[in-house]
Amino acid sequence: MITQNIEQAIEALNKNEIVAIPTETVYGLAGNAFQEVAIQKIYSLKKRPFHNPLIVHISSIYDLSLVAKDIPEIALKLAEHFWPGPLTLVLPKTSNIPDIVTAGKNTVAVRIPQHPMALKLLSQLDYPLAAPSANPFGSISPTKALHVEKYFHQHLDVILDGGDCHAGIESTILGFKNNQVIVYRQGSIPLEEIEKITGPLIYNTLNNETPDAPGMLTKHYAPSAETYLTNNVSEMMKLFPDKNIGLLLFTQKIQGPNIIHRETLSLTQNLREAAANLYAALHRLDQYQPDVIIAERLPDQGLGKAINDKLTRAAAK
Ligand code: TXA
Ligand code: MG
């Protein structure tokens, strides 16, 4: 049930149930991060493979030592600068965190979300919340309570409604090895902003077999329709003269006879607005059941880079 009643969420979480919560990035499927039984439910509801670890959410930097230890100085500096906010740090874990949360890794991914309802909820609990995005594994992430309801309505007693997620794409994930800062996943904080603090970043190379950060899996965030990403939408449309086409455009207005739906991410070419609109636009496009979705590549800078990364994975075979 969709509700704004935090008490109801607390009651369910205290019974090791799973609830959906809003964050500034996307909605999460949350459970008590210290309780294996709760975490088990998250994996089975999401149909998520056990090798793909979860992000742990805390409400205050004072709680960081409950979940992580041996924290590098640069990680603390990043936390102080970007938290609360869409930055996730991968750090050595404490024994409070069950192995199931971290998929057996000795590191834990942690962040303080920026959404007031999430913070209010977290501050009233005496445990952190493990929460992956509230979508079935591989499908489009949810940025509205209604998206979560569409996916999980029979299975969730509490979907906390905090409105539309204002950042709209997932948190940026960073790890730390040998005094270097490694990008595990591009997200809501542009890498250029992080590099102002860290200096040049290292990119985690793709490895689908044993992914370091499985959000880096090649195929992810995928609509039901076959999806293509291109710099030249009009040219690509010519390849599908007999198909119903859905278009995901950055700013352009493109006409054509067989377009059944068109989404424009930002008429004013604003990348923040485009990120905030991305997943809701993909959800709407999916509802029109096009044969193909053609997405326009965004400018490859700042948030544009992160959005292109998501679209590349949505379009992967
Ligand atoms: O914005 C977000 O981060 C949202 C909201 C709900 O906080 N959460 C989210 O969770 O995107 P999820 O489960 O969809 O993605 C978590 C990512 C996965 O790519 C996972 O592989 C990575 O975090 N991850 C978690 N623990 C990790 C670890 N110990 N080492 C490397 N990557 C890790
Ligand atoms: Mg996800």
Side-chain angles (χ1 to χ4, degrees):
M1 193 185 50
I2 295 183
T3 175
Q4 297 192 342
N5 185 342
I6 289 187
E7 297 308 317
Q8 238 173 302
I10 294 174
E11 207 174 295
L13 288 164
N14 284 342
K15 287 190 282 192
N16 287 331
E17 298 298 334
I18 303 310
V19 307
I21 61 164
T23 81
E24 77 280 29
T25 58
V26 299
Y27 276 75
L29 274 184
N32 182 339
F34 293 156
Q35 291 295 334
E36 201 171 319
V37 281
I39 305 309
Q40 200 98 38
K41 290 178 189 167
I42 295 177
Y43 280 93
S44 71
L45 192 54
K46 220 183 127 78
K47 299 200 167 59
R48 180 177 180 118
F50 283 108
H51 65 67
N52 194 343
L54 309 183
I55 295 176
V56 170
H57 299 72
I58 56 178
S59 61
S60 150
I61 200 148
Y62 300 108
D63 292 339
L64 185 57
S65 58
L66 291 177
V67 302
K69 59 182 185 187
D70 306 330
I71 301 163
E73 212 161 297
I74 186 67
L76 275 180
K77 202 167 159 191
L78 286 164
E80 276 161 15
H81 194 272
F82 289 107
W83 285 354
L87 179 69
T88 295
L89 303 176
V90 174
L91 300 166
K93 83 176 191 74
T94 65
S95 58
N96 292 331
I97 299 290
D99 285 339
I100 185 172
V101 171
T102 63
K105 289 173 179 292
N106 53 16
T107 52
V108 62
V110 57
R111 78 178 189 102
I112 302 182
Q114 205 174 41
H115 195 290
M117 197 181 256
L119 283 173
K120 191 166 173 196
L121 172 66
L122 282 163
S123 64
Q124 289 181 48
L125 299 170
D126 49 18
Y127 45 83
L129 291 175
S133 53
N135 52 292
F137 183 66
S139 60
I140 309 167
S141 303
T143 53
K144 295 170 185 287
L146 277 172
H147 294 157
V148 184
E149 188 176 53
K150 189 182 77 181
Y151 284 138
F152 297 116
H153 59 104
Q154 327 90 306
H155 301 289
L156 280 180
D157 289 339
V158 183
I159 299 172
L160 265 189
D161 188 353
D164 292 357
C165 302
H166 71 82
I169 58 174
E170 287 85 348
S171 59
T172 303
I173 305 183
L174 302 177
F176 307 89
K177 267 183 200 158
N178 309 323
N179 292 319
Q180 287 176 317
V181 184
I182 302 151
V183 179
Y184 283 145
R185 180 177 72 183
Q186 296 195 53
S188 278
I189 297 183
L191 300 182
E192 291 90 333
E193 275 185 41
I194 292 164
E195 283 184 327
K196 283 182 199 158
I197 292 175
T198 59
L201 293 161
I202 310 280
Y203 290 76
N204 187 48
T205 45
L206 250 182
N207 177 352
N208 261 318
E209 293 306 308
T210 52
D212 254 356
M216 302 302 278
L217 287 170
T218 318
K219 180 104 189 145
H220 220 77
Y221 316 106
S224 314
E226 210 170 295
T227 302
Y228 296 86
L229 178 63
T230 176
N231 289 317
N232 192 333
V233 174
S234 304
E235 277 304 305
M236 180 135 261
M237 276 169 53
K238 292 181 188 158
L239 299 178
F240 304 102
D242 308 318
K243 302 268 191 193
N244 287 327
I245 297 177
L247 291 185
L248 183 72
L249 304 168
F250 179 36
T251 56
Q252 288 190 62
K253 294 198 180 104
I254 288 177
Q255 308 295 332
N258 50 343
I259 299 170
I260 61 165
H261 187 67
R262 186 190 287 105
E263 287 284 339
T264 304
L265 293 178
S266 173
L267 285 170
T268 57
Q269 309 191 23
N270 179 322
L271 290 169
R272 272 189 192 285
E273 185 183 31
N277 287 332
L278 178 69
Y279 290 136
L282 282 170
H283 277 278
R284 281 192 297 269
L285 272 168
D286 235 10
Q287 277 171 2
Y288 285 84
Q289 299 184 301
D291 300 318
V292 294
I293 292 174
I294 300 177
E296 180 186 6
R297 193 181 290 278
L298 276 73
D300 220 16
Q301 50 170 318
L303 281 176
K305 240 188 281 181
I307 297 169
N308 286 337
D309 180 77
K310 308 283 173 204
L311 289 174
T312 303
R313 292 171 208 284
K317 291 290 161 304

